[in-house]
């Protein structure tokens, strides 16, 4: 009597392959949904901060961070009222543009790039702590890509006040620029700088390199306010 050989039938193999295909498709679809959600969050961040600044100026006739009356209004540190966001001590010669100046604001000559977020929180336009001290005066909001947001005057080829977001993967950066502007890193109201490290200082000159989707590139995106 012959022994019966065991094994999978073609139908069983086909069913397994279909299941594997469905699982892979679900994983890829889930990853794409996460990426799209991050793109939407970054776009909303840029639009939300711009709207918050406009609302603050409409209410108080001042630029957050640069507000001369923040102390009398909330007991916060005043800016110097010149319409720009200084990156160094406002009463001294500003240092080179640096989006991520996290110096603790403890004097009147505090960096306005830090006071910017404090004033917006005190006015209720963005969330976060409003307590005095380092936690409020030097805290910058995070973005959806494990980067941070910051502001300054000039840099990246702009002469205006700008808001920037760091550590954006190439796919997200390109999609954000495409949705909000001209999909070009070197021109328009949204511009991108290829990062060589996390949370970099913004360039004092305009970006000169086009976007490249390599799967590893990260970009700092800036938008004028």
């Amino acid at each position: 009597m012959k022994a019966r050989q065991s094994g999978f039938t073609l139908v069983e193999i086909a069913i397994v392959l279909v299941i594997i295909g469905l699982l892979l498709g679900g994983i890829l679809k889930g990853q794409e949904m996460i990426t799209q959600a991050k793109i939407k969050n970054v776009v909303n961040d840029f639009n939300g901060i711009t709207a918050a600044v406009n609302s603050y100026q409409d209410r108080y006739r001042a630029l957050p961070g640069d507000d001369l009356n923040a102390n009398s209004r909330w007991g916060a540190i005043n800016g110097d009222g010149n319409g720009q966001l200084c990156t160094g001590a406002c009463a001294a010669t500003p240092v080179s543009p640096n989006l991520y100046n996290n110096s603790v604001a403890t004097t009147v000559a505090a960096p306005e790039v830090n006071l910017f977020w404090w004033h917006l929180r005190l006015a209720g336009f963005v969330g976060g702590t409003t307590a005095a001290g380092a936690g409020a005066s030097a805290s910058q909001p995070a973005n959806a890509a494990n980067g941070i947001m910051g502001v300054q005057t000039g840099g990246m080829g702009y002469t205006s006040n700008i808001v920037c977001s760091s550590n954006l993967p190439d796919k997200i950066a390109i999609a954000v620029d495409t949705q909000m502007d001209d999909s070009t890193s070197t021109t328009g109201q949204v511009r991108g700088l290829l990062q060589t490290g996390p949370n970099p200082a913004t360039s004092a000159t305009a970006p000169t390199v086009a976007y490249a989707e390599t799967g590893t590139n990260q970009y700092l995106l800036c938008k004028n306010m």
Side-chain angles (χ1 to χ4, degrees):
M1 182 175 179
K2 291 183 178 180
R4 185 176 181 181
Q5 292 182 338
S6 60
F8 296 107
T9 66
L10 290 176
V11 173
E12 290 171 332
I13 293 173
I15 292 173
V16 171
L17 290 175
V18 168
I19 293 173
I20 292 174
L22 290 173
L23 290 174
L24 289 175
I27 292 172
L28 293 175
K29 183 64 176 178
Q31 290 177 335
E32 181 62 23
M33 290 176 65
I34 291 172
T35 299
Q36 291 300 319
K38 289 181 178 180
I39 293 169
K40 183 177 180 180
N41 282 336
V42 173
V43 170
N44 288 342
D45 285 342
F46 278 128
N47 289 335
I49 295 303
T50 300
V53 170
N54 290 335
S55 297
Y56 189 101
Q57 290 178 311
D58 183 60
R59 182 183 296 179
Y60 301 116
R61 296 296 187 266
L63 178 69
D66 184 58
D67 193 342
L68 278 171
N69 297 309
N71 182 264
S72 60
R73 191 178 298 118
W74 301 298
I77 299 170
N78 288 336
D80 62 9
N82 69 350
Q84 298 182 338
L85 296 167
C86 70
T87 56
C90 298
T93 302
V95 298
S96 299
N98 185 347
L99 175 63
Y100 303 108
N101 187 330
N102 281 311
S103 302
V104 178
T106 56
T107 67
V108 176
E112 292 176 346
V113 292
N114 294 338
L115 298 181
F116 175 89
W117 303 106
W118 195 17
H119 291 179
L120 283 180
R121 289 194 292 269
L122 287 166
F125 291 119
V126 298
T129 179
T130 58
S137 61
S139 177
Q140 295 167 253
N143 63 23
N146 297 318
I148 55 177
M149 299 187 69
V151 293
Q152 68 181 50
T153 298
M156 295 284 282
Y158 299 102
T159 57
S160 60
N161 296 318
I162 59 176
V163 56
C164 302
S165 191
S166 71
N167 297 0
L168 301 179
D170 45 23
K171 187 173 184 178
I172 293 177
I174 294 169
V176 170
D177 198 329
T178 300
Q179 290 185 24
M180 299 189 71
D181 195 32
D182 58 2
S183 72
T184 303
S185 64
T186 56
T187 61
Q189 67 169 346
V190 177
R191 299 175 189 177
L193 182 69
L194 178 63
Q195 293 185 192
T196 57
N199 300 329
T202 53
S203 173
T205 58
T208 58
V209 179
Y211 294 118
E213 188 173 342
T214 65
T216 59
N217 281 345
Q218 285 189 316
Y219 288 89
L220 171 73
L221 285 193
C222 294
K223 177 185 177 296
N224 60 358
M225 289 190 289

